[in-house]
Amino acid sequence: MRLFFTIILLSFTLSDLFAQGAEVRGRVFNPVNNEGIPFANVIVLGTDFGTVTDENGNYVLANLPAGLYNIRASFIGYRAKTFFEIQVTLARAVRLDFDLREEASELTEVTVNADFSRSEETPISVRRLNTNEIERYPGGNRDISRVIQSLPGVASTASFRNDIIIRGGAPNENKFFIDEIEVPVINHFSTQGSSGGPVGILNVNLIKNVDVITGGFPADRMNSLSSFFEFQLKEGRKDKMFTQMTLGASELTLSNEGPIGEKTTYILSARRSYLQFLFRQLQLPFLPTFNDFQLKTTTKLNAKTELTFIGVGAIDDFALNFDVPEDETEEEREQRLYTLENLPVSTQWNYATGLKLKRFRENGFWTFILSRNMLNNRSFKYAQNDNSNPDNLLFDYTSQESENKFRAENSIFAKGFNLKYGVNYEYARYFISEIDRSTLATEGEVITAKAEAFFNSYGGFVSASKYFNNERLLVTAGLRMDGSTFGKTAQNPLNQLSPRASVSYQIKPQLFWTANVGLYYQKPPYTALGYRNSEGELENQINDIRFIRSTHFITGIEKVIPEKSRRFSVEGFYKLYANYPSSIRNGISLANLGADFGVIGNEPVISNSDGRAYGLEFLAQQRFFNNFYGIAAVTLVRSEFTNPNTEGFVPSAWDNRVIVSLTAGRRFKKNWEIGARWRYLGGLPFTPVDVETSSLREVWDLTGRAVLDFNQINSQRLSAFNQFDFRVDKRYFFNKWNLNWYFDVQNAFNFQAEQPPVLIPVRNSDGSIKIDPNDPSRYQMRFIDNPAGTILPTIGIIVEF
């Protein structure tokens, strides 16, 4: 806290802004052919600053006071576009390029505005966040995975993980693209077969904006059932080098950007955590360490050809802390020992790289994308953490997933009509090496595996959109088909025909009715596709595992007030699932098991589970206007799936039912800013423990953890969870450098979220487990509470130069 008060004192003693003005420069262009738009107007909303582009579409806004602005570009015959919350500083010129789409109609009675991410391909269920919204989000700690939780339809777990649950779907139903290049992993310590993790990989310093698409998916996107995340990274500076350093409570981040010759720019970042030192001081039983990097280069080969390269990667280590805390109570001791006996030691690394070539012509462009990604996951555990005896090994798991992908797409634009088509191919390898003595399969069986599998996947799509009725009505339709060699049915693309259609009707200016219906497919996780039986066969291929199918029905009303940067919307959705994998061992759908820390799907499965998710979303959004911003999102949702061993639908592991997120902030004089967020989530269902089976000595000695009673699958429910976060920011702008400090508090009210109670053995003073005197075949067991949540304050310093 001494550091915090020192920073507060400095905030009143450091000098104010120097007199020199700041600068915004960029280009206004037509994204169809990449040609500049001359004589377009560029204005700073709410001020007298403005300018006009030259004959090449370039502009310069000079002598701006440092601050936060909304900047708009417009030209007759094109849709106006506004960038919100652009931070202008004295240390560097801001690069801001506007891509303006031509109006489909020359009539002026219809008003279409691009301020809230409405497009021909995705006219429904799209939300956009920009750099500043991500950076100053209270409780987010500059982590995009946490910031996304403020949007409607988005839930998360009450624990410290970033599992993103959208409209009742599993975390692995989300796909992530950076500059149109797929990046499967965006979180550190990611659960294999899922997408969650405790800390995000992506550095907000490099992000320009992110679009979250939760319905009405465009036909050029494949292999997802709940959402697509479209990240757009900034381009590096063209004039000179610029550096940013961020020092937080748990990590150090360095970012750098600049030119490489006349045609190429770069922007990169690297981050190193020291979280293990903090966790050791807090006397936690685990010590995580993570590192990550990002790189983007952009080369303008000529006026019509651009080449983009991206690279994203992470290295994660997870060790155990055997230090004994001072003044430890008996219950704290038992819980610590239980945690140490169940948490594995793990290491993980991953990367994704890609090249995108974009070739413009007069009426459109070709896009070619070549990429590769890889995930390496190692996890092992010894009984009582004693590795001196090989017989103590409970499990040792190593796996690798690698994908090589190619896409070619052609986009054609005409007045009021767009056409897009393309093909894709993917070659994937899955490798596994496993020894498992802890899984209750066949009595006495030791699961062993060392094998690899290869899969070829292929697909194609065509989509079109057209305006009618003087641009009041927009109709979008698409068809794609996908095939893969992982199963007999899946090989034929005609079995995975995926039609979709959307309509958007402007009832009156800035009031829209939207609707969508679509059929979507997703591959099961590689842990399921690559599972081999004792004969070395791909058992799930023999079981004819299939693409998971989901049919979406969505409709909604949206009102936009562009002059005040406001948006109100209501959307209803209904999703029907089919061919969802279920476990042959326990007869439970994987959707009802969850995806917390285990490797989900590394077992024989069959595609025989059905599901449904339905609900309503309410959104009221005020983008930065008159120094105020806010988002209010309320979601009512139900998520249910069937199990082969039970009758009817049961609540899935993602059935929150009620999600509320309220976020607001205000800018004050002298560049102070305060923001707050309150989040409420209905309690998730859980499966109770089978105490009779778990207490058996032979079972506990084998597994070291409780066995669930799958006859009561998700029959109990946790209490609701709520959390209040707040953040204070102060910025200083100098001639050649900037300084920003922030104070962020997560869970300020120290709310203790209920978690399923933990069954642990009763121990003797020497740490050994007590045997039940009434039944020598059993251990003495008892339940302990397992609340999640603690106050987490963070102080950060950001220096730019």
Side-chain angles (χ1 to χ4, degrees):
M1 294 301 292
R2 182 179 300 175
L3 175 60
F4 173 64
F5 288 116
T6 301
I7 294 172
I8 290 288
L9 180 62
L10 285 174
S11 69
F12 292 103
T13 58
L14 285 173
S15 61
D16 285 334
L17 308 178
F18 292 144
Q20 179 182 340
E23 185 177 275
V24 177
R25 60 172 62 235
R27 182 169 176 257
V28 181
F29 66 99
N30 186 335
V32 172
N33 52 28
N34 203 35
E35 294 180 358
I37 301 175
F39 313 118
N41 295 310
V42 182
I43 61 173
V44 182
L45 298 179
T47 74
D48 296 327
F49 291 94
T51 189
V52 176
T53 59
D54 63 18
E55 62 273 13
N56 296 315
N58 299 314
Y59 73 93
V60 177
L61 286 166
N63 298 319
L64 287 170
L68 200 63
Y69 299 104
N70 298 335
I71 303 177
R72 174 173 294 178
S74 62
F75 189 67
I76 297 174
Y78 290 81
R79 294 181 188 172
K81 186 168 187 177
T82 303
F83 283 113
F84 293 88
E85 301 188 44
I86 302 302
Q87 184 64 66
V88 177
T89 73
L90 303 173
R92 63 164 173 171
V94 175
R95 179 78 189 187
L96 198 61
D97 295 332
F98 292 86
D99 54 326
L100 302 188
R101 296 265 186 176
E102 286 190 80
E103 294 279 13
S105 172
E106 297 180 359
L107 300 180
T108 58
E109 62 185 71
V110 178
T111 304
V112 179
N113 194 283
D115 291 349
F116 285 93
S117 302
R118 178 170 299 280
S119 71
E120 287 83 356
E121 290 184 302
T122 54
I124 191 171
S125 305
V126 184
R127 319 294 182 204
R128 168 166 289 186
L129 296 168
N130 61 30
T131 301
N132 265 302
E133 290 176 298
I134 299 169
E135 190 167 356
R136 48 86 166 134
Y137 184 77
N141 201 20
R142 297 164 53 85
D143 188 337
I144 181 61
S145 296
R146 295 190 181 276
V147 177
I148 290 165
Q149 296 169 12
S150 67
L151 300 178
V154 182
S156 63
T157 58
S159 65
F160 59 89
R161 291 171 54 80
N162 285 341
D163 294 298
I164 301 172
I165 303 164
I166 294 182
R167 292 183 170 177
N172 67 349
E173 295 177 17
N174 310 308
K175 289 293 179 289
F176 310 96
F177 289 81
I178 298 179
D179 287 322
E180 301 183 74
I181 298 169
E182 186 175 352
V183 177
V185 179
I186 67 164
N187 283 299
H188 290 283
F189 305 102
S190 177
T191 301
Q192 192 167 1
S194 184
S195 61
V199 183
I201 290 175
L202 302 181
N203 181 359
V204 65
N205 299 341
L206 275 65
I207 297 174
K208 182 179 179 181
N209 53 59
V210 54
D211 289 339
V212 184
I213 308 171
T214 56
F217 305 143
D220 60 341
R221 294 292 182 259
M222 73 296 289
N223 204 33
S224 178
L225 303 180
S226 284
S227 76
F228 288 95
F229 290 75
E230 301 280 356
F231 294 91
Q232 184 179 1
L233 299 187
K234 301 174 183 176
E235 291 188 10
R237 290 188 63 165
K238 297 181 178 180
D239 52 350
K240 60 181 180 180
M241 186 182 297
F242 186 79
T243 301
Q244 183 182 72
M245 181 180 71
T246 303
L247 179 65
S250 60
E251 74 257 0
L252 172 66
T253 306
L254 287 174
S255 305
N256 185 261
E257 59 180 298
I260 306 176
E262 295 182 357
K263 296 183 177 182
T264 303
T265 63
Y266 75 91
I267 184 168
L268 62 87
S269 77
R271 178 167 54 167
R272 168 71 176 179
S273 80
Y274 38 86
L275 202 60
Q276 70 277 19
F277 303 115
L278 176 63
F279 277 35
R280 191 180 291 276
Q281 291 299 315
L282 295 174
Q283 299 180 335
L284 296 176
F286 46 88
L287 304 173
T289 303
F290 62 84
N291 308 270
D292 56 52
F293 68 88
Q294 294 168 71
L295 170 65
K296 175 182 177 179
T297 66
T298 305
T299 303
K300 311 289 186 181
L301 298 175
N302 54 51
K304 293 292 186 180
T305 310
E306 295 179 357
L307 180 65
T308 302
F309 170 81
I310 70 159
V312 179
I315 302 173
D316 305 327
D317 291 294
F318 191 90
L320 300 180
N321 180 14
F322 297 103
D323 296 343
V324 178
E326 297 180 2
D327 303 323
E328 184 180 43
T329 66
E330 183 64 25
E331 183 167 323
E332 290 172 341
R333 173 176 171 269
E334 290 184 348
Q335 188 164 12
R336 178 178 60 84
L337 291 175
Y338 172 82
T339 302
L340 288 173
E341 290 183 359
N342 281 274
L343 278 181
V345 176
S346 61
T347 59
Q348 187 179 101
W349 55 262
N350 67 84
Y351 69 83
T353 60
L355 279 171
K356 180 178 72 172
L357 181 68
K358 203 165 187 177
R359 176 65 179 173
F360 293 92
R361 57 183 186 276
E362 189 60 33
N363 67 335
F365 49 83
W366 277 95
T367 305
F368 301 95
I369 295 176
L370 183 65
S371 66
R372 174 178 170 82
N373 56 264
M374 187 170 183
L375 169 67
N376 186 90
N377 197 21
R378 168 87 193 283
S379 182
F380 62 89
K381 187 68 182 178
Y382 286 86
Q384 286 78 49
N385 297 300
D386 180 9
N387 60 3
S388 60
N389 185 351
D391 292 337
N392 288 339
L393 181 67
L394 295 177
F395 66 85
D396 190 346
Y397 174 86
T398 300
S399 74
Q400 294 179 346
E401 299 175 4
S402 60
E403 297 173 326
N404 303 278
K405 302 177 181 180
F406 173 75
R407 297 203 329 262
E409 300 174 356
N410 187 20
S411 301
I412 303 170
F413 300 87
K415 200 75 170 181
F417 176 77
N418 300 337
L419 176 67
K420 192 173 186 178
Y421 61 88
V423 295
N424 62 277
Y425 170 76
E426 175 185 309
Y427 176 73
R429 170 184 176 267
Y430 175 75
F431 169 80
I432 183 172
S433 175
E434 179 185 26
I435 299 175
D436 188 354
R437 294 186 176 92
S438 66
T439 299
L440 285 176
T442 304
E443 183 176 355
E445 177 187 4
V446 177
I447 299 174
T448 61
K450 188 171 185 180
E452 59 183 350
F454 302 91
F455 307 103
N456 293 280
S457 301
Y458 33 85
F461 77 92
V462 60
S463 65
S465 62
K466 183 173 176 54
Y467 281 100
F468 299 92
N469 192 19
N470 294 327
E471 208 172 348
R472 286 190 183 278
L473 175 65
L474 170 65
V475 178
T476 302
L479 176 68
R480 73 166 297 115
M481 55 183 181
D482 292 282
S484 183
T485 58
F486 64 76
K488 180 179 179 181
T489 299
Q491 289 183 16
N492 186 353
L494 296 178
N495 292 328
Q496 288 81 229
L497 282 176
S498 178
R500 71 279 313 266
S502 299
V503 296
S504 176
Y505 182 72
Q506 191 166 181
I507 301 171
K508 61 182 182 178
Q510 305 304 344
L511 179 63
F512 300 88
W513 168 72
T514 54
N516 165 264
V517 60
L519 187 63
Y520 308 104
Y521 289 90
Q522 178 177 323
K523 292 185 299 184
Y526 286 110
T527 48
L529 301 182
Y531 174 76
R532 292 184 182 271
N533 58 27
S534 57
E535 284 76 32
E537 301 170 311
L538 288 173
E539 182 166 332
N540 294 330
Q541 190 176 68
I542 297 173
N543 296 335
D544 193 22
I545 188 171
R546 304 186 179 191
F547 278 86
I548 306 171
R549 187 180 74 210
S550 183
T551 306
H552 292 197
F553 303 91
I554 307 169
T555 188
I557 295 288
E558 179 179 70
K559 173 65 176 177
V560 177
I561 307 175
E563 62 271 15
K564 294 186 178 180
S565 304
R566 292 175 186 170
R567 177 190 206 178
F568 303 91
S569 67
V570 179
E571 279 192 8
F573 61 90
Y574 197 102
K575 301 194 294 186
L576 291 172
Y577 288 87
N579 302 335
Y580 214 96
S582 67
S583 170
I584 293 178
R585 288 175 180 166
N586 55 38
I588 303 299
S589 172
L590 297 191
N592 291 329
L593 291 174
D596 194 8
F597 294 98
V599 177
I600 303 301
N602 188 40
E603 57 178 306
V605 297
I606 187 169
S607 300
N608 63 350
S609 174
D610 297 323
R612 61 192 182 193
Y614 52 93
L616 280 173
E617 295 176 354
F618 304 88
L619 171 70
Q621 180 179 8
Q622 171 68 71
R623 306 203 81 157
F624 186 71
F625 182 76
N626 287 341
N627 293 316
F628 175 81
Y629 65 86
I631 298 178
V634 179
T635 303
L636 307 176
V637 61
R638 297 291 296 267
S639 178
E640 303 167 326
F641 280 79
T642 62
N643 299 304
N645 67 346
T646 60
E647 293 184 5
F649 288 91
V650 299
S652 78
W654 328 113
D655 185 42
N656 280 100
R657 299 199 173 180
V658 181
I659 308 165
V660 181
S661 179
L662 306 177
T663 307
R666 184 172 179 81
R667 278 240 167 178
F668 298 92
K669 294 180 179 180
K670 297 185 180 295
N671 299 303
W672 285 90
E673 183 175 339
I674 297 177
R677 177 187 72 157
W678 181 72
R679 186 163 57 108
Y680 174 93
L681 292 97
L684 289 171
F686 70 95
T687 302
V689 168
D690 184 343
V691 180
E692 290 296 314
T693 302
S694 302
S695 62
L696 290 171
R697 293 172 61 185
E698 61 181 7
V699 172
W700 191 268
D701 289 341
L702 178 67
T703 64
R705 60 181 182 270
V707 178
L708 299 180
D709 183 0
F710 288 122
N711 291 322
Q712 302 184 61
I713 183 73
N714 288 349
S715 61
Q716 299 185 21
R717 188 174 291 270
L718 302 172
S719 299
F721 157 81
N722 77 87
Q723 179 173 313
F724 178 76
D725 311 316
F726 73 88
R727 176 177 170 126
V728 179
D729 279 82
K730 170 63 174 172
R731 297 176 183 268
Y732 306 90
F733 305 110
F734 304 99
N735 273 338
K736 295 185 178 180
W737 66 289
N738 306 318
L739 172 65
N740 175 28
W741 66 260
Y742 63 89
F743 180 56
D744 187 283
V745 180
Q746 297 180 42
N747 196 22
F749 296 153
N750 195 29
F751 184 85
Q752 302 292 299
E754 182 188 14
Q755 300 290 290
V758 177
L759 183 71
I760 66 170
V762 179
R763 296 181 181 272
N764 297 304
S765 58
D766 61 357
S768 60
I769 302 176
K770 288 185 178 181
I771 297 174
D772 188 344
N774 299 318
D775 186 352
S777 67
R778 301 180 184 276
Y779 288 125
Q780 290 188 39
M781 311 294 287
R782 70 186 184 95
F783 283 101
I784 62 172
D785 293 332
N786 183 35
T790 185
I791 297 177
L792 185 59
T794 300
I795 297 175
I797 300 174
I798 304 172
V799 180
E800 300 175 318
F801 54 91

